[in-house]
Amino acid sequence: MSLNDTNPFEAAMRQLDLVAEELSLDKKIVEVLKHPNRVVITSLPVKMDDGTIKVFTGYRVQYSRHRGPYKGGIRYHPNVNLDEVKALAAWMTWKCAVADIPYGGSKGGITCNPKEMSSAELERLTRRYTSSIVRDIGPFKDIPAPDIYTDSQTMAWLLDTYSEFQGYAVPGVVTGKPISVGGSEGRAGATGRGAALCTREAARHLGIDMNGATVAIQGYGKVGRSVAQVLREMGCIIIAISDSKGGIFNQNGLDPVKVLEHKKRTGSVVDFKDSTYVANKDLLELDCDILIPAALENVLTEENAPRIKVKIISEGANGPTTPEAGAILHKKGVMMIPDILANCGGVTVSYFEWAQNLNRLHWTLDEVNQKLEQKIVKAFNDVLEISTKRNISMRLAAYVLGVSRVAEALGVLGLFP
Ligand code: GLU
């Protein structure tokens, strides 16, 4: 199987089947959980800078509102398609349940290549997309956030457009926005911090010293760069980092801050001084203690899984491991911290941001990071306990926790009519 021919929604549903079997879930509940509540597909005509008009396709999939309002990011990427957005929306549902925050799950996306678009074009695209889903989102309905190739600026345009439609400022409609318009301290680095905290807990459980532990990181976007910095603060040695253009390697360690400066200056981590080149696929197979896939889906497959050498994998990205690869790695004894646990720090601080907005509060960075650590340590240990008690992988255990919480909510809510 090649890298990207796994349909992510089918993979998500195969995972759900495994959980349903493990939990002996009522078939009627499984049937409901296998369908998103609502899917919005919208055509987005945008005036390009050269005067032409391009029509993009946008999606918003509202998967489940059983535990609270829909919640999930918006992705801008050439590969965005309905099945991917559906899978990501299902994962958000289980993720919010694992993190034990009062949300359902959703996801949005636009098929586009933001790297080839100007900021003005991206702004027009974002505002048009927002206007097309303006009736579907809201602080008590569905709360978007950043995802791949969207950021706090994207959220500011979304917030402004939504507020313009309402006639007043509605900061709680999006999270991950700039601090000047109601964003939270610590949100930008929250996903990476959460993945690093999960890694620390896993290392503690396995008796691995974080001081001197070696790490490879695939992806140097919002998640990769913050996980690198926090792991380095914890004493780890970051020996390899990559982005979509390729990777860099230095057995003695790379300085994450200097690598970031280099990337900001040149557009990529490649050619960073004192490093040798490593291809993205080889980075995954390096001989080190910890691997953080923090880019796209389906990078760990049944083809490369047998060659993976690390002791801990913490999934900063959503869906980087195919179910087949997950089974192989679990059998090999690799401690896999699954995406819905490893990267739930982002949506957890999104929840803090939303709670601050609704209460007109602003917490300090220390308060945010402390609350985040409490949530992550609790979620990690809840999953570890299920994994140990049932003698199942951490992935299956995380799904057992997430899906059972959603199923419980569905059970008490019942069906309308
Ligand atoms: N896009 C992030 C995720 O996949 C964050 C979602 C959010 O904060 O709502 O978890």
Side-chain angles (χ1 to χ4, degrees):
M1 201 180 305
S2 77
L3 282 191
N4 281 316
D5 61 5
T6 305
N7 177 323
F9 188 63
E10 281 171 15
M13 293 304 103
R14 282 208 298 279
Q15 272 161 342
L16 181 59
D17 282 332
L18 290 178
V19 186
E21 203 184 300
E22 176 68 28
L23 284 170
S24 309
L25 266 189
D26 184 335
K27 286 211 167 48
K28 293 187 282 270
I29 290 201
V30 180
E31 183 59 18
V32 177
L33 293 180
K34 281 198 163 179
H35 296 85
N37 256 3
R38 276 185 76 187
V39 173
V40 180
I41 304 178
T42 165
S43 291
L44 307 167
V46 174
K47 267 196 204 110
M48 305 305 278
D49 292 344
D50 64 4
T52 59
I53 288 182
K54 225 171 162 171
V55 183
F56 298 90
T57 305
Y59 305 90
R60 186 75 184 166
V61 173
Q62 300 180 323
Y63 205 90
S64 154
R65 54 146 185 79
H66 302 105
R67 298 186 75 256
Y70 300 110
K71 181 84 189 85
I74 296 171
R75 173 174 297 198
Y76 289 0
H77 195 273
N79 296 345
V80 163
N81 61 64
L82 182 57
D83 278 325
E84 183 187 66
V85 184
K86 275 164 66 179
L88 290 162
W91 290 330
M92 280 310 301
T93 306
W94 325 138
K95 190 190 299 186
C96 291
V98 167
D100 205 12
I101 52 179
Y103 289 133
S106 58
K107 199 83 177 197
I110 302 178
T111 316
C112 65
N113 189 350
K115 287 187 174 172
E116 287 173 1
M117 295 171 70
S118 70
S119 170
E121 288 169 341
L122 285 170
E123 175 172 356
R124 289 194 289 275
L125 177 64
T126 303
R127 290 187 184 277
R128 180 67 196 219
Y129 173 70
T130 308
S131 75
S132 75
I133 57 167
V134 77
R135 282 166 226 87
D136 305 299
I137 58 174
F140 303 107
K141 273 190 194 169
D142 185 357
I143 305 125
D147 196 75
I148 291 174
Y149 296 147
T150 54
D151 56 16
S152 58
Q153 177 60 74
T154 324
M155 296 307 113
W157 291 326
L158 201 152
L159 165 60
D160 186 60
T161 309
Y162 182 85
S163 298
E164 193 56 37
F165 271 85
Q166 305 308 315
Y168 54 94
V170 193
V173 69
V174 282
T175 58
K177 54 194 169 288
I179 290 182
S180 57
V181 290
S184 177
E185 305 291 340
R187 174 62 186 85
T191 311
R193 179 167 291 274
L197 289 166
C198 283
T199 308
R200 185 194 69 191
E201 292 303 296
R204 187 173 288 163
H205 173 69
L206 296 175
I208 297 171
D209 192 352
M210 288 290 272
N211 209 6
T214 47
V215 185
I217 299 177
Q218 186 192 46
Y220 216 51
K222 295 183 290 284
V223 181
R225 63 186 63 166
S226 50
V227 84
Q229 283 174 32
V230 182
L231 284 177
R232 167 121 157 173
E233 280 160 28
M234 291 173 175
C236 295
I237 302 171
I238 317 295
I239 62 162
I241 295 176
S242 70
D243 59 27
S244 59
K245 302 207 172 79
I248 51 174
F249 173 81
N250 182 337
Q251 188 64 47
N252 298 321
L254 298 157
D255 179 337
V257 178
K258 290 202 174 124
V259 174
L260 183 58
E261 282 165 10
H262 174 83
K263 183 174 163 77
K264 281 191 175 153
R265 220 175 32 246
T266 66
S268 170
V269 300
V270 174
D271 288 334
F272 179 71
K273 66 175 168 44
D274 300 332
S275 74
T276 51
Y277 182 83
V278 60
N280 252 303
K281 64 175 191 12
D282 298 329
L283 175 141
L284 298 171
E285 299 173 21
L286 285 175
D287 199 354
C288 59
D289 299 312
I290 297 161
L291 172 65
I292 317 272
L296 289 171
E297 294 97 77
N298 299 333
V299 294
L300 296 170
T301 63
E302 59 188 324
E303 195 275 315
N304 62 9
R307 296 190 299 278
I308 304 293
K309 299 177 191 74
V310 295
K311 303 185 188 95
I312 300 173
I313 298 180
S314 188
E315 296 183 335
N318 289 312
T321 312
T322 65
E324 295 75 17
I328 296 170
L329 292 163
H330 176 60
K331 231 189 231 150
K332 278 176 67 150
V334 181
M335 163 70 110
M336 301 277 300
I337 311 168
D339 47 8
I340 58 170
L341 171 62
N343 70 36
C344 77
V347 72
T348 299
V349 177
S350 274
Y351 162 56
F352 297 159
E353 179 175 330
W354 179 76
Q356 290 170 78
N357 294 153
L358 297 187
N359 292 290
R360 304 286 187 255
L361 295 172
H362 191 78
W363 301 343
T364 64
L365 179 60
D366 274 355
E367 270 177 285
V368 171
N369 283 346
Q370 245 174 48
K371 289 188 204 313
L372 174 64
E373 181 160 352
Q374 271 170 17
K375 277 281 197 198
I376 296 288
V377 170
K378 170 90 171 64
F380 182 91
N381 287 301
D382 285 351
V383 172
L384 182 63
E385 193 184 318
I386 295 173
S387 158
T388 312
K389 267 198 188 139
R390 291 181 176 253
N391 192 23
I392 55 177
S393 69
M394 285 291 279
R395 182 181 312 281
L396 189 52
Y399 274 81
V400 162
L401 181 62
V403 172
S404 63
R405 282 179 175 159
V406 179
E408 192 186 329
L410 186 59
V412 287
L413 288 172
L415 278 189
F416 176 83

